[in-house]
Amino acid sequence: MKKKQISIIGVPMDFGQMRRGVDMGPSAIRYAGVVDRLENLHYEIDDLGDIEISRPEKLDKLSEGNLRNLKAVAEGNTKLAKKIDEAINADTFPLVFGGDHSIAIGTLAGVAKHYNNLGVIWYDAHGDLNTAESSPSGNIHGMPLAVSLGLGHPTLTEIAGYGPKVKPENIVIIGARSLDEGEKILIKELGIKVYTMHEIDRIGMTKVMEETISYLKDRTDGVHLSLDLDGLDPHDAPGVGTPVIGGISYRESHLAMEMLAEAGVITSAEFVEVNPILDERNKTASVAVALMGSLFGEKLL
Ligand SMILES: NC(=[NH2+])NCCC[C@H](N)C(=O)O
Ligand SMILES: [Mn+2]
Ligand SMILES: [Mn+2]
């Protein structure tokens, strides 16, 4: 990691899906000791606190078409994009805690304008490539990657006043094992690079990360890591809203983070979908913090 200063930004957002509790993710991750962990690695940490997200009880849950809570999701992400922008202008590394994965819309809106060719590693069981038309659920947390490609409702694709944020050839999805039909079509049409669980089983995480790193190094000038905890197997990360069995192991995930640290390619990161209500004694938040340790260069010896 190039920058020695990290800005932590919490996003207690749960409007991108239907299970309450994921808004407590940022607290759970802090409680699991993230600041000490990163300070021990000699980073200077500035915890900027949480983005203000309206409470659902107060909200007129304005949905549009098949886009649940569209207005609330757009509002939160607009604020987030601004905060990210400030963190990067202050020459710090933005480290974002979710919240559901719809917050990647705001993170990428804030990050992408600082790069000509931003790369994205999407570590996830899902593709999150749905649009209102293809989504089986209407949940916006299943859409952020499509939105960042410029596909979807303009209220989302134009956040921060520009779009698209990323190019399909600069994206690598790792850990996919649950894709909707429309997502599969889009992946083929756009030629997005995907390592499904099949490839991870077959060639191993070492090869997957070697290939990912050299692929992105060649074509990008910065790489954002968007890590959905449901990319991991539910055995290791049970506290998520949309678990899918047969996922990436704790060990493989550490290896992936260690290889990213060694390569020094990551320029911003977010850890999302931690839901303490569904968790077992804060296990998933602790796993997230352990992975952040590896991402920022922690070693045993
Ligand atoms: N970030 C997530 N956990 N996304 C899950 C998405 C699930 C499903 N593909 C949907 O669109 O509803
Ligand atoms: Mn997911
Ligand atoms: Mn996701």
Side-chain angles (χ1 to χ4, degrees):
M1 235 53 55
K2 290 176 200 101
K3 287 175 185 162
K4 271 297 180 188
Q5 270 179 313
I6 298 173
S7 293
I8 288 178
I9 301 166
V11 194
M13 162 78 81
D14 65 353
F15 296 126
Q17 44 85 64
M18 281 183 293
R19 304 184 80 160
R20 299 298 304 279
V22 70
D23 58 313
M24 294 185 251
S27 310
I29 293 170
R30 287 192 182 94
Y31 185 75
V34 67
V35 172
D36 284 351
R37 189 98 178 216
L38 299 179
E39 276 177 354
N40 282 338
L41 298 168
H42 308 294
Y43 285 88
E44 207 178 290
I45 312 298
D46 192 5
D47 187 342
L48 302 178
D50 288 349
I51 302 287
E52 207 184 301
I53 303 290
S54 17
R55 296 315 311 146
E57 292 78 10
K58 294 206 170 161
L59 198 79
D60 58 26
K61 294 191 182 154
L62 253 195
S63 302
E64 200 176 299
N66 194 28
L67 295 164
R68 179 169 289 104
N69 305 326
L70 173 61
K71 194 168 164 244
V73 170
E75 257 177 35
N77 275 305
T78 303
K79 288 185 200 166
L80 172 58
K82 197 165 163 278
K83 264 273 182 283
I84 298 271
D85 192 34
E86 289 167 10
I88 296 177
N89 282 336
D91 206 29
T92 67
F93 181 109
L95 177 60
V96 181
F97 304 156
D100 70 61
H101 216 162
S102 70
I103 69 165
I105 295 171
T107 306
L108 285 170
V111 170
K113 67 166 111 172
H114 295 271
Y115 299 90
N116 295 318
N117 262 302
L118 182 69
V120 174
I121 295 178
W122 200 267
Y123 201 91
D124 202 326
H126 309 94
D128 294 344
L129 281 164
N130 275 308
T131 59
E133 292 71 38
S134 68
S135 170
S137 62
N139 293 332
I140 297 178
H141 81 152
M143 310 181 189
L145 196 49
V147 166
S148 305
L149 284 161
L151 305 169
H153 197 288
T155 306
L156 299 173
T157 58
E158 291 303 312
I159 282 176
Y162 74 107
K165 274 76 178 179
V166 293
K167 301 173 186 153
E169 63 271 26
N170 292 346
I171 296 170
V172 181
I173 298 174
I174 298 174
R177 56 194 181 278
S178 171
L179 296 170
D180 299 314
E181 282 317 307
E183 297 184 299
K184 292 181 191 170
I185 294 169
L186 202 61
I187 285 168
K188 287 196 184 127
E189 257 179 29
L190 299 179
I192 297 173
K193 200 169 179 63
V194 183
Y195 292 97
T196 69
M197 290 314 300
H198 172 81
E199 280 81 39
I200 297 173
D201 290 341
R202 187 130 193 176
I203 65 176
M205 188 55 98
T206 305
K207 194 95 205 308
V208 167
M209 292 314 295
E210 279 171 3
E211 288 184 12
T212 297
I213 289 163
S214 72
Y215 178 79
L216 290 175
K217 250 193 176 164
D218 284 347
R219 60 180 68 233
T220 65
D221 52 355
V223 180
H224 174 68
L225 171 67
S226 196
L227 191 146
D228 184 331
L229 269 297
D230 73 29
L232 278 81
D233 192 89
H235 179 79
D236 294 323
V240 297
T242 49
V244 189
I245 61 165
I248 308 172
S249 74
Y250 178 74
R251 288 297 346 142
E252 288 168 324
S253 298
H254 268 292
L255 177 62
M257 298 302 115
E258 286 160 2
M259 290 179 75
L260 290 174
E262 240 167 70
V265 287
I266 300 298
T267 45
S268 55
E270 68 199 330
F271 288 75
V272 303
E273 295 282 343
V274 173
N275 187 330
I277 287 181
L278 304 172
D279 207 1
E280 298 161 8
R281 295 175 166 269
N282 221 29
K283 181 176 180 176
T284 306
S286 304
V287 166
V289 171
L291 293 180
M292 287 180 226
S294 289
L295 178 65
F296 287 96
E298 203 173 86
K299 282 191 188 125
L300 185 59
L301 286 172

